[in-house]
Amino acid sequence: MFDFKKITQETDLYNLHTHTQYCDGHATMEEFVVEAIAQGFTHLGFTPHSPISVESPCNMGRDQVQEYFDEVERLRRAYGDRIQLYTAMEIDYVSVGDGPASDYFLNLPLDYRIGSVHFIPAINDPGMMVDIDGKFQAFKQRMSKYFDGDIEYVVKTFFAQMMSMVDEGGFDIVGHMDKIGYNASEYQEGIDEEPWFDKLVIDLFENIMDHHLTIEVNTKAWLQRNRFYPNLKYFGMLKRFNAPIVVNSDAHYPTLLNNGRLEALKLLSVL
Ligand SMILES: [Zn+2]
Ligand SMILES: [Zn+2]
């Protein structure tokens, strides 16, 4: 089991969720390492979007995995005296047996694994997996094309997928656990304030705690959308139950490596 606590107790300058040239990031791993060192970071984990069974331009291919491992090794040799680098992945949970718990991922020599949901099945076609994680404009189009405008279906299915992922296991960190809250509330204002929505988040939280997983506080959207995942209103719950957490920027650009992280850490520290 990867010891996240050791890192988080030692420093605030770590990031364990980083996208680079191996998926949809906008810079090379080396550019991230150079920027991280310049900002004083002592720990940096790479988490390309994992190879996936559905059509996705954002995910790495299986044929790139070895090259990715080799590149982390090369960077460790070049920069390992200044920063601790981790070979990890943000693994998509697609369906039962097709996610972090599959043999393929369990057998990869990764330092740790983030489990995330970015796809859910279309409303009338369970075999059609639809990306619900992207920009709101794309989400809005998909709402009518794949979900008959049924936002409750989308929210409930997202959390059902998250619950199954947690039940199946095979990973260490739960990625952006209530991320659907952003697109859903853009689509229907206030939906994430409704009691049934709240219950889905709390049930998921309890399930994560039962499985002794680490929860990510994802700060990627703080600057642009003024939103953390999980939402700020759940920070009190994280503290009250002493949930194991890591604070990640989910950076796709080196300059955003620390985006929202210190704000989240500060908010967590005063609770
Ligand atoms: Zn993600
Ligand atoms: Zn990510």
Side-chain angles (χ1 to χ4, degrees), residues 253-264:
Y253 295 89
T255 50
L256 297 178
L257 209 48
N258 212 15
N259 170 33
R261 289 190 64 266
L262 299 182
E263 291 86 340

Side-chain angles (χ1 to χ4, degrees), residues 17 19 49 90 116 118 133 176 179 250:
H17 190 160
H19 296 284
H49 289 290
E90 181 177 19
S116 293
H118 305 105
D133 189 77
H176 44 64
K179 194 161 182 203
D250 195 352

Side-chain angles (χ1 to χ4, degrees), residues 135-150:
K135 295 203 168 67
F136 177 66
Q137 276 315 315
F139 178 81
K140 199 174 155 189
Q141 284 168 7
R142 290 171 190 150
M143 276 305 298
S144 46
K145 190 169 177 196
Y146 298 106
F147 302 118
D148 292 345
D150 189 342

